[in-house]
């Protein structure tokens, strides 16, 4: 007899609570490299702090964050503090289905960006390690999430999911959340709609009425 297995269910989107995000940031900032059982002055995860803050405050895809620079140039995304925007789409790049529209910079993020730009001399990539651009944060994120005891399923894209979840939970209309992320409203509804404060309120009230 042939056994037909049920279709695999859709995995739940992993997103960070604000407490988890704070713990992850604090871990990345404080962690010291251990050599021969002794802590050193090396901070191998500190560069992740910029990545985490940009991801949580803009909901941008990892590639756009790692490609972002202070000085505008071909093939790069660009942080424009004076105009208060992050141009996520790289100059000269072909537009794809994964839209990356310009996103507004929040006042809190702007304060961070101004400080970082002064430290960097207003040139180069925003996220850097030992002064060099960062191609991937996969390994660093894996180490950081373990140290922060966040469990499995946390990746660079979790920051985008977290930003979306926080905005929906705050009651922001799904259309505006979609515009901010650069995705469709239907995707926001499908993945994050259950987090809205008034989710199923009307149905819950109606079911108890005669």
């Amino acid at each position: 007899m042939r056994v037909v297995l049920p279709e695999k269910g859709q995995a739940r989107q992993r997103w960070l609570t604000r407490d988890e995000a704070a713990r992850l940031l604090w871990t990345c900032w404080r962690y010291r490299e251990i050599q021969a059982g002794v802590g050193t002055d090396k901070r191998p995860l500190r560069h992740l702090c910029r990545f985490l803050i940009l991801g949580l405050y803009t909901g941008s895809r990892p590639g756009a964050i790692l490609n972002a620079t202070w000085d505008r140039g071909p093939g790069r995304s660009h942080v424009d503090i004076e105009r208060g925007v992050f141009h996520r789409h790289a100059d000269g790049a072909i537009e794809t289905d994964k839209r990356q529209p310009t996103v507004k910079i929040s006042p809190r993020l702007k304060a961070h960006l101004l400080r970082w730009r002064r430290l960097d001399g207003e040139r180069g990539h925003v996220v850097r390690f030992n002064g060099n651009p960062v191609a991937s944060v996969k390994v660093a994120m894996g180490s950081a999430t373990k140290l922060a005891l966040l469990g499995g399923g946390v990746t660079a894209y979790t920051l985008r999911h977290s930003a979306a979840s926080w905005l929906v939970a705050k009651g922001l209309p799904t259309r505006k959340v979609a515009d901010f992320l650069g995705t469709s409203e239907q995707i926001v509804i499908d993945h994050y709609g259950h987090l809205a404060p008034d989710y199923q309120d009307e149905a819950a009230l109606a079911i108890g009425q005669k």
Side-chain angles (χ1 to χ4, degrees), residues 14 21 33 36 46 68 78 84 89 97 111 122 134 151 161 165 178 180 194 196-197 205:
R14 175 68 164 101
E33 185 175 298
R46 188 164 280 189
H78 174 229
H89 185 73
D97 291 338
E122 303 188 9
V134 178
H161 299 320
S165 300
F180 187 77
H194 64 284
L205 291 171

Side-chain angles (χ1 to χ4, degrees), residues 161-183:
H161 299 320
S162 301
S165 300
W166 295 356
L167 290 173
V168 172
K170 282 281 189 180
L172 194 70
T174 52
R175 179 185 59 79
K176 292 187 176 182
V177 176
D179 288 344
F180 187 77
L181 295 176
T183 190

